[in-house]
Every structure is written in structure tokens, then in C-alpha cells.
């Protein structure tokens, strides 16, 4: 039987072990949560943006009012509390007139509390910000910057322009449906081939208080095919044969033969155009909830087809890139439709380009850890 002093030492060791364990665990939980929070909140923000964008495209198809809520801040607060109690009693039984017996007793208790209180702030898109982001046409120079970055010029112009030097694009909007001018699609094909040959570029110059955007055309070291495409472009747009620089401006028609006038769409117009191609239930058309999709024209080609295919159904899609529910129906983009996915994701970049003036602050993620 151990002595009283030995038992006291054992009890002291038992109390020391959990104490050291708690001290070793007193490290910051904020650093450890950084990777998890950044990825989780980033993925949640991206998914919610896609669903909101798809829902607004569908709502415009039904002549409903779109609503955009921006996430202005994300504040995550963590709190971790722990407590460990160890109580032991020992007696030697050496008290006079009492039996020589040993009494032993021990109580072990532990408690822990973990709290996660995220605070997310939303800002509705309205007023001047709504006008800048959705109603104001995209600047032509911003579109050519995308071209310089390698994005396909034919896709950009088909999605975002109404006219180039008076040559009009197709429109599927219910109130202003029209076919593309005969020269528009061949012009897009020629511009794409010229882009791939690196024969077209953008230069920004400061002329007095204004910054002027110039389109440059390389005239030497061209293959016969690219030279023919440039000639076709000059002829269609009414550009002088010897012009190597074109002033880029926002307008329906150019002022002279050395100007490239682009009548661009706003983000809201782009969304309406995409919404016109949404597949809707036939019952909704019969009941007057939305307009009927125009019947296919035998003369329409591949470029007349919807840029983004949005399907509809009564059940939740099983393999969707993005899905949203509206008026008891599901609308989605197929995960295997790479073209539709790419163009739909491209809308986020276009939304940023449409923003002018002071750039808004990105969502701030603040994670205090207690």
C-alpha cells in the first residue's frame, strides 16, 4: 500500500497532465480557420452569384423585376471555451481511535463550448449604382481590352454589341426582334481570324484632357488569307483602304471613314437577350405568364441559336452547372454544356466592365477568433 506522500505526488501528477495539455492547446484558431473560411465562403459567394444571375435572367423572360443583392461584407466570429476539473481526496486512516484504513475519492469534470457566429451584410443594387452597373452601355474600349486579353472577338461582339458602323446585330428581345444584317456574321468571322493572326490591336493615347482609344491594323507580313479578311472588314465597315489607325467611339454610325463606331449593349440588355432564349413550360405560354418563343426560321444558322441554353422542368436537375427555382419550375444550365457554362460565367466579367467611376470595394471577410 503506497504511503500518503506517494499518493499526494500521484495526485499532483494527475492534475499536471491535463493542465499541460490545455496550455499546449492554447494556440490561435483564427490562423487555422483561414484556409477553410476563404475557400468555403468563396465557393458560397460564387454559387450564390450564379444562382442569382440565372434567376434574374429567368425573371426577365417572364417580364418580372430583376433584383441584385451584393455581399458587402462577411464577418465570422469564433469562440472556443474549455474547462477541465479534477478533484481528489485521500486519507491515511491514522487518526487516533479510528481504524487504520485508507479512503480514496476522485472527481473528473470537463466542459467545452464552440460558437460560430457569421454576420453577412447585403447591399441592394439600386440608384446610381444600378444605373452604372446595369443600364449604362459597356464602353467599347473595355470590350477591345478583352479582345487583347485573348477572349474571342466574335463572341464578345455578338453578345454585347447592337451595331458596328451601322451594321446591326440580331436581337431576340420581345419588343424589338430583328434579324442580323447580312454583313454582320461574316464580319464576326473575319474579325476572329484577324484576331488569331495578331493583326489587330488597341492603343490608348492621351490627347489633352481626354484619353483616346485607337484600333491599330497591321498591314505588313500578312498571309493572303488574313489580308483578304482585312479587306473584307474595311469594305463592310466603310474604312479607308490605307487607314492603319481607327478612332474607337460609342455611336451607331461613324463620322468619317477613319472611325470605328460601336453601339454597345448594357448588362440589362445582355440579360434580356439571353432570357429570350430560355426554354419555358408550354403551360406558362398558354396561360399568358410569358411570351412564346418565336418558331425557328429555316434560314437561321448556327449563330442565330441561343448563346446560353437554359432548360426548364418540374423536378430538380441531377447534374446542373447552376439551377434556380421560379414559379414552381426549375431552370438550369447543363453541366455538360461547356459553351453555355463559359458564356454564362463570362457575364461576371462583363458586369465588372460595366461598372464606371469609383470602383466598389470587394466583399471583406473579417474573422475575429476568441
Amino acid at each position: 500500500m503506497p504511503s500518503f506522500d506517494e499518493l499526494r505526488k500521484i495526485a499532483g501528477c494527475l492534475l499536471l497532465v491535463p493542465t499541460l495539455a490545455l496550455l499546449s492547446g492554447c494556440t490561435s484558431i483564427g490562423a487555422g480557420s483561414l484556409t477553410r473560411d476563404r475557400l468555403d465562403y468563396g465557393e458560397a459567394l460564387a454559387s450564390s452569384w450564379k444562382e442569382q444571375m440565372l434567376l434574374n435572367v429567368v425573371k426577365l423572360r417572364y417580364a418580372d423585376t430583376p433584383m441584385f443583392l451584393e455581399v458587402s461584407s462577411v464577418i465570422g466570429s469564433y469562440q472556443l471555451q474549455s474547462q477541465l476539473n479534477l478533484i481528489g481526496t485521500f486519507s491515511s486512516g491514522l487518526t487516533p481511535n479510528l481504524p487504520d484504513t485508507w479512503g480514496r475519492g476522485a472527481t473528473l469534470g470537463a466542459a467545452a463550448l464552440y460558437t460560430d457566429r457569421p454576420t453577412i451584410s447585403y447591399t441592394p443594387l439600386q440608384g446610381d449604382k444600378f444605373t452604372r452597373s446595369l443600364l449604362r452601355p459597356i464602353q467599347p474600349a473595355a470590350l477591345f481590352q478583352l479582345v487583347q486579353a485573348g477572349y474571342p472577338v466574335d463572341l464578345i461582339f455578338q453578345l454585347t454589341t447592337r451595331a458596328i458602323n451601322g451594321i446591326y446585330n440580331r436581337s431576340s428581345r420581345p419588343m424589338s426582334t430583328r434579324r442580323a444584317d447580312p454583313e454582320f456574321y461574316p464580319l464576326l468571322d473575319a474579325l476572329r481570324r484577324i484576331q488569331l493572326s495578331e493583326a489587330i490591336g488597341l492603343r490608348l493615347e492621351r490627347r489633352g484632357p481626354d484619353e483616346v482609344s485607337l484600333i491599330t491594323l497591321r498591314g505588313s507580313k500578312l498571309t493572303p488569307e488574313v489580308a483578304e479578311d482585312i479587306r473584307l472588314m474595311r469594305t463592310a465597315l466603310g474604312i479607308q483602304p490605307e487607314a492603319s489607325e481607327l478612332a474607337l467611339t460609342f455611336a451607331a454610325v461613324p463620322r468619317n471613314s477613319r472611325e470605328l463606331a460601336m453601339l454597345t449593349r448594357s448588362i440589362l440588355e445582355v440579360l434580356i437577350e439571353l432570357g429570350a432564349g430560355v426554354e419555358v413550360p408550354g403551360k406558362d405560354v398558354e396561360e399568358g405568364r410569358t411570351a412564346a418563343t418565336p418558331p425557328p426560321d429555316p434560314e437561321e444558322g448556327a449563330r442565330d441559336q441561343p448563346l446560353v441554353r437554359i432548360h426548364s422542368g418540374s423536378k430538380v436537375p441531377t447534374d446542373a452547372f447552376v439551377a434556380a427555382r421560379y414559379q414552381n419550375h426549375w431552370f438550369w444550365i447543363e453541366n455538360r454544356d461547356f459553351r453555355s457554362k463559359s458564356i454564362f460565367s463570362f457575364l461576371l466579367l462583363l458586369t465588372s466592365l460595366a461598372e464606371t467611376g469609383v470602383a466598389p470595394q470587394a466583399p471583406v471577410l473579417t474573422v475575429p477568433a476568441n
Side-chain angles (χ1 to χ4, degrees), residues 323-336:
R325 183 177 175 84
Y326 180 74
Q327 292 189 359
N328 299 323
H329 291 286
W330 283 94
F331 297 86
W332 70 90
I333 297 174
E334 290 285 352
N335 200 20
R336 295 182 177 88

Side-chain angles (χ1 to χ4, degrees), residues 181-202:
D181 288 342
E183 304 90 347
F184 190 78
Y185 292 155
L187 175 62
L188 293 185
D189 295 334
L191 286 173
R192 177 57 177 163
R193 292 190 293 266
I194 295 171
Q195 179 192 17
L196 293 175
S197 68
E198 302 290 344
I200 189 171
L202 173 69

Side-chain angles (χ1 to χ4, degrees), residues 4 25 112 117 120 123 129 147 151 159 161 182 195 214 227-228 232 247 267 282 289 293 334 337:
F4 178 77
R117 296 191 181 94
I120 303 175
T123 303
K129 188 173 180 60
V147 174
Y151 289 91
L159 186 65
T161 62
Q195 179 192 17
L214 299 176
E228 177 62 23
L232 184 151
I267 290 297
R289 299 179 185 272
T293 303
E334 290 285 352
D337 188 352

Side-chain angles (χ1 to χ4, degrees), residues 75-138:
I75 302 175
S77 177
Y78 298 99
Q79 185 176 9
L80 177 62
Q81 295 178 346
S82 59
Q83 183 179 1
L84 180 64
N85 297 325
L86 179 60
I87 302 174
T89 59
F90 302 91
S91 61
S92 64
L94 299 179
T95 306
N97 302 323
L98 291 178
D100 189 8
T101 59
W102 289 90
R104 305 176 186 179
T107 302
L108 179 63
L113 176 64
Y114 177 79
T115 305
D116 180 7
R117 296 191 181 94
T119 302
I120 303 175
S121 300
Y122 300 95
T123 303
L125 194 63
Q126 57 187 359
D128 183 60
K129 188 173 180 60
F130 182 90
T131 302
R132 294 197 312 267
S133 301
L134 295 180
L135 300 183
R136 186 171 297 174
I138 304 173

